[in-house]
Amino acid sequence: GDSVTQMEGPVTLSEEAFLTINCTYTATGYPSLFWYVQYPGEGLQLLLKATKADDKGSNKGFEATYRKETTSFHLEKGSVQVSDSAVYFCALWGGGAQKLVFGQGTRLTINP
Amino acid sequence: DAGVIQSPRHEVTEMGQEVTLRCKPISGHDYLFWYRQTMMRGLELLIYFNNNVPIDDSGMPEDRFSAKMPNASFSTLKIQPSEPRDSAVYFCASIVGGSTDTQYFGPGTRLTVL
C-alpha cells in the first residue's frame, strides 16, 4: 500500500540555520503531496502542497519540490526561526484510497 | 467559518467509563476523519466517512471503539469501556472531496483515562 517515510527526529537547529527534512513516498499512480505542521497544543495545519511532478509548493519561507524520479518531497527553509519549532508531517493523497497517508512526523526545535 | 469544532477539549475519566468525543466539520465538507495521536504510535487514522457513510474503519483498534455520523454536521467517537491505553489526543478533520484539497483539523480532544 501507499506509505510515507520521513527522516527521524528530533531535529535541533540554531536560529537562521538551513533546514532540510527528508520525505520519500511509495504510491501507486500519481499522488498529491503535502506538508502539514503541528504547533504545540494544536491540530495539524497545511503548510504547503504539490499536486503533480516538478511542482514546487511554498509557504512562510518553506519550500518542497515534487520529485517523481526520486519519489521525494523534501522540506527546506533557508533561515529558520524560533517560531518554526513544531512537528512536521509529510503526507500523500493518492491511489485508490481517499485518505491522507502520513509519515511519522519530525519534531523540530529551533534554539535562539 | 469557525473551522472544525471538537468537544470537549480535555476529558479525564476513569477506566471502565464510557467516553464520547464530538466533532462538527466545516460546512460543505463531505469527508470526515477521526485520528488518534500518541507519542508511541504517532498519528493514526481510525475511521473516515464520506457523505455521512463510514468508508474505512480498519484503523479502529477494537470493538470498544465506535463512530457515527448521523448528519453532515455532526460526528461522534465513542469508547466503551475506556482503558488507560486509550489515553491520547483525538483529532477530527474534514475536507471537501478531491485529492488536492486541504484537510482541516480540529484542535483535538486530549483524553486521559485513569
Side-chain angles (χ1 to χ4, degrees), chain A residues 30-34 49-52 66 73 91-95 100, chain B residues 99-101:
Chain A
Y30 303 97
S32 295
L33 302 175
F34 304 82
K49 65 183 180 184
T51 59
K52 60 183 187 297
Y66 188 162
F73 193 55
L92 69 82
W93 178 295
L100 278 173
Chain B
S99 63
T100 63
D101 291 322

Side-chain angles (χ1 to χ4, degrees), chain B residues 6-62:
Chain B
Q6 291 187 248
S7 65
R9 291 295 310 276
H10 301 273
E11 176 80 31
V12 180
T13 190
E14 294 191 347
M15 183 174 63
Q17 296 298 306
E18 178 179 295
V19 174
T20 300
L21 311 181
R22 297 173 176 79
C23 175
K24 176 178 169 54
I26 293 174
S27 177
H29 284 192
D30 54 355
Y31 283 84
L32 183 140
F33 303 80
W34 281 101
Y35 294 89
R36 177 172 69 176
Q37 187 177 38
T38 62
M39 289 294 291
M40 291 295 293
R41 290 196 294 268
L43 191 65
E44 305 172 276
L45 176 64
L46 301 178
I47 185 172
Y48 74 96
F49 297 83
N50 177 219
N51 291 323
N52 314 337
V53 176
I55 302 301
D56 183 353
D57 65 354
S58 60
M60 296 286 263
E62 49 198 276

Side-chain angles (χ1 to χ4, degrees), chain A residues 14-87:
Chain A
S14 297
E15 206 165 20
E16 299 183 2
F18 184 86
L19 168 70
T20 300
I21 301 178
N22 290 337
C23 171
T24 57
Y25 67 90
T26 302
T28 55
Y30 303 97
S32 295
L33 302 175
F34 304 82
W35 278 100
Y36 279 79
V37 59
Q38 183 180 28
Y39 298 105
E42 298 182 12
L44 281 70
Q45 55 186 274
L46 180 69
L47 179 60
L48 54 84
K49 65 183 180 184
T51 59
K52 60 183 187 297
D54 300 326
D55 268 3
K56 177 185 285 188
S58 61
N59 185 25
K60 299 181 181 180
F62 290 89
E63 294 183 340
T65 301
Y66 188 162
R67 301 287 188 199
K68 181 172 176 289
E69 63 276 12
T70 54
T71 62
S72 65
F73 193 55
H74 304 321
L75 183 68
E76 297 182 336
K77 186 174 185 181
S79 177
V80 294
Q81 302 170 354
V82 172
S83 57
D84 294 326
S85 298
V87 180

